[in-house]
Amino acid sequence: ENLITKSHIFLEQSRPTTPIDMAMNIFRFMGDLSHQIAIVILTLHLYRAKNARGISVKTQELRLLVFSTRYLDLFTTFYSAYNTILKVYYLV
């Protein structure tokens, strides 16, 4: 293979993902579902215990930082209604 063919292959592999590339699959759905279940479990724990004992403030601050920066594309790129709704739900 020549250099032009190799660079073409590299550019094709490194191009940004499009909404078509991000089609829903079972692994993404199961990941989203497990994330939602974890949030519900945490919320129920806080509600029942009436305190946050055992839940680190530092961990929650880091979680907020990670998800806030992870979802910055929410304001620049629209992928799907499902994707947008979940991102807003996770941030709130």
Side-chain angles (χ1 to χ4, degrees):
E1 296 180 343
N2 61 27
L3 185 58
I4 295 172
T5 305
K6 287 181 181 179
S7 62
H8 177 70
I9 291 170
F10 174 76
L11 289 174
E12 281 297 310
Q13 291 173 346
S14 64
R15 67 186 169 91
T17 57
T18 64
I20 294 170
D21 294 333
M22 297 189 60
M24 179 61 70
N25 63 43
I26 189 67
F27 299 108
R28 180 178 179 145
F29 179 74
M30 294 305 292
D32 289 343
L33 184 62
S34 65
H35 190 185
Q36 291 173 9
I37 290 171
I39 291 172
V40 168
I41 290 171
L42 177 63
T43 303
L44 287 174
H45 172 75
L46 290 171
Y47 180 76
R48 288 183 183 153
K50 304 284 190 225
N51 65 47
R53 185 175 295 142
I55 300 173
S56 166
V57 172
K58 189 172 185 177
T59 300
Q60 294 306 311
E61 290 170 345
L62 288 173
R63 180 184 172 276
L64 177 65
L65 177 68
V66 166
F67 283 103
S68 297
T69 56
R70 183 178 176 189
Y71 296 148
L72 286 176
D73 69 335
L74 180 65
F75 305 107
T76 60
T77 309
F78 178 80
Y79 293 108
S80 69
Y82 173 83
N83 194 2
T84 303
I85 290 168
L86 281 183
K87 286 181 180 184
V88 169
Y89 171 74
Y90 292 151
L91 288 173
V92 174

